């Protein structure tokens, strides 16, 4: 299975002006998890909506195994599972009733729906809560019922947009493990600006900035690219303030004689600075300013 994004652009017209959300984006996906990383406003959600066929590109074409997805219509939509960033549910429906309702909308027969609803509830760890009203679910449980509804039609392309926003660390880990588990025989596109969501499960990471593709590589390859650009140095109060003005600063930890500062920089920020092994959070800071939506 091959999903190809060919020179896709999206332009929004607002009050007489134009904003280019995506700019001549060309990509290719095969089976596995892809992390789409970018700050708020980078074009992640626009790309996801276009791939999910709920929005049309201004320019360019998307192909699935060589076929234009717009010409495939329902045939393509039947292959898609989509969990948008914001999703509303009928609060008075139980988890089980909600999934049966969505299964009917997706065209599953009653016998198919019965098996698939039970299967997905078990998969997302909500089978014991199947009779509970969705309105009483926690944020993490709602995201899990969201992924369950996206999986009802056994999609070959699963699209999830900012799935862990607002979740506690335990639910984030549960969600990441779930996505990794179901990715063996499908394309999973995970859009996020939370680097820990993709650090261990993505076979490739895409970095989007202002609607353009900056990088598309495996996590290891991307990290190798900043291998000598992450430093740690000891600083007092005055030096810390200087580093925060002059450099992109990651972690700051208090030590006995001041602070230990993690700095992302092309050059050595201080003669005593020590080179550190980079992680994806360092990578994010290398490409994006701290004010661009880092969590």
């Amino acid at each position: 299975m091959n999903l190809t994004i060919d020179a896709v652009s999206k332009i929004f017209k607002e009050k007489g002006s134009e904003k280019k959300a995506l700019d001549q984006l060309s990509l290719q996906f095969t089976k596995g998890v892809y992390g789409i990383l970018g700050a708020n406003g980078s074009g992640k959600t626009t790309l996801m909506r276009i791939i999910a066929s709920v929005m049309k590109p201004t320019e360019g074409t998307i192909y699935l195994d060589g076929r234009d997805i717009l010409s495939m219509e329902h045939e393509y939509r039947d292959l898609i599972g989509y969990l948008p960033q914001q999703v509303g549910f009928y609060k008075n429906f139980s988890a089980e009733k909600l999934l049966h309702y969505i299964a009917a909308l997706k065209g599953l027969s009653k016998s198919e729906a019965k098996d698939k609803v039970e299967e997905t509830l078990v998969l997302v760890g909500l089978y014991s809560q199947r009779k509970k009203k969705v309105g009483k679910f926690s944020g993490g449980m709602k995201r899990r019922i969201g992924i369950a509804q996206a999986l009802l039609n056994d999609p070959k392309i699963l699209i999830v947009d900012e799935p862990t926003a607002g979740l506690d660390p335990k639910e984030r880990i549960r969600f990441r493990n779930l996505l990794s588990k179901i990715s063996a025989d499908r394309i999973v596109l995970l859009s996020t600006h939370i680097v820990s969501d993709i650090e261990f499960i993505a076979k490739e990471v895409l970095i989007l900035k202002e609607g353009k593709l900056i990088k598309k590589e495996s996590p290891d390859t991307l990290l190798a690219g900043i291998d000598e650009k992450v430093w740690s140095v000891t600083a007092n109060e005055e030096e810390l303030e200087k580093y925060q003005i002059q450099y992109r600063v990651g972690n700051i930890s208090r030590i006995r004689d001041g602070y230990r500062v993690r700095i992302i920089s092309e050059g050595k920020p201080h003669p005593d600075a020590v080179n550190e092994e980079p992680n994806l959070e360092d990578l994010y800071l290398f490409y994006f300013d701290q004010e661009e939506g880092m969590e």
Side-chain angles (χ1 to χ4, degrees), residues 44-287:
K44 302 188 308 295
T45 294
T46 300
L47 176 61
M48 303 294 258
R49 288 173 63 82
I50 289 174
I51 295 174
S53 80
V54 298
M55 179 186 289
K56 291 184 178 181
T58 306
E59 300 171 355
T61 310
I62 298 179
Y63 300 97
L64 180 62
D65 293 333
R67 299 174 63 192
D68 184 341
I69 66 168
L70 294 181
S71 69
M72 295 174 66
E73 297 184 337
H74 291 295
E75 185 183 352
Y76 177 72
R77 293 191 188 99
D78 288 344
L79 299 174
I80 293 290
Y82 180 40
L83 178 59
Q85 189 172 353
Q86 300 293 334
V87 59
F89 296 121
Y90 294 108
K91 295 180 180 180
N92 290 324
F93 277 23
S94 68
E96 189 175 54
K97 183 178 179 180
L98 175 67
L99 291 182
H100 274 286
Y101 172 70
I102 294 173
L105 293 179
K106 291 189 174 189
L108 275 69
S109 68
K110 286 188 177 181
S111 59
E112 286 176 323
K114 183 177 183 298
D115 292 340
K116 202 63 185 177
V117 166
E118 183 172 317
E119 178 187 324
T120 54
L121 283 169
V122 170
L123 181 64
V124 301
L126 290 175
Y127 186 76
S128 64
Q129 304 290 325
R130 65 191 183 281
K131 302 295 184 183
K132 187 174 181 177
K133 289 184 178 180
V134 175
K136 297 185 181 297
F137 276 10
S138 66
M141 292 167 73
K142 287 178 180 176
R143 298 309 281 176
R144 281 189 272 152
I145 201 69
I147 202 72
Q149 64 80 27
L151 290 171
L152 283 172
N153 58 326
D154 194 23
K156 297 305 177 187
I157 302 169
L158 181 62
I159 302 164
V160 286
D161 190 7
E162 298 283 1
T164 66
L167 300 189
D168 63 35
K170 185 177 179 180
E171 280 289 359
R172 281 183 179 174
I173 292 168
R174 184 200 293 266
F175 207 92
R176 289 202 305 268
N177 290 342
L178 174 60
L179 291 180
S180 183
K181 182 179 179 181
I182 64 179
S183 67
D185 61 347
R186 71 188 91 224
I187 296 171
V188 178
L189 305 179
L190 169 59
S191 164
T192 186
H193 64 277
I194 302 171
V195 292
S196 58
D197 284 351
I198 59 174
E199 190 159 10
F200 302 109
I201 66 171
K203 76 172 188 178
E204 284 194 322
V205 175
L206 290 68
I207 300 176
L208 291 186
K209 189 170 185 178
E210 297 177 351
K212 295 183 179 181
L213 179 67
I214 305 301
K215 290 282 185 179
K216 179 179 181 285
E217 302 282 358
S218 71
D220 287 345
T221 300
L222 286 172
L223 292 177
I226 61 167
D227 194 38
E228 296 182 359
K229 295 168 183 167
V230 182
W231 312 86
S232 65
V233 64
T234 301
N236 58 33
E237 199 81 44
E238 183 180 339
E239 290 169 331
L240 174 62
E241 185 176 345
K242 182 189 72 172
Y243 288 137
Q244 287 179 300
I245 293 171
Q246 295 181 352
Y247 298 101
R248 293 183 179 182
V249 173
N251 294 336
I252 301 171
S253 55
R254 186 178 287 276
I255 58 176
R256 183 175 180 180
D257 299 322
Y259 301 92
R260 194 70 181 168
V261 188
R262 191 176 181 93
I263 293 171
I264 293 83
S265 170
E266 294 277 0
K268 199 171 186 178
H270 188 277
D272 295 331
V274 177
N275 200 224
E276 298 285 355
E277 184 177 347
N279 56 42
L280 280 186
E281 186 170 290
D282 299 320
L283 182 80
Y284 190 106
L285 287 175
F286 181 76
Y287 285 105

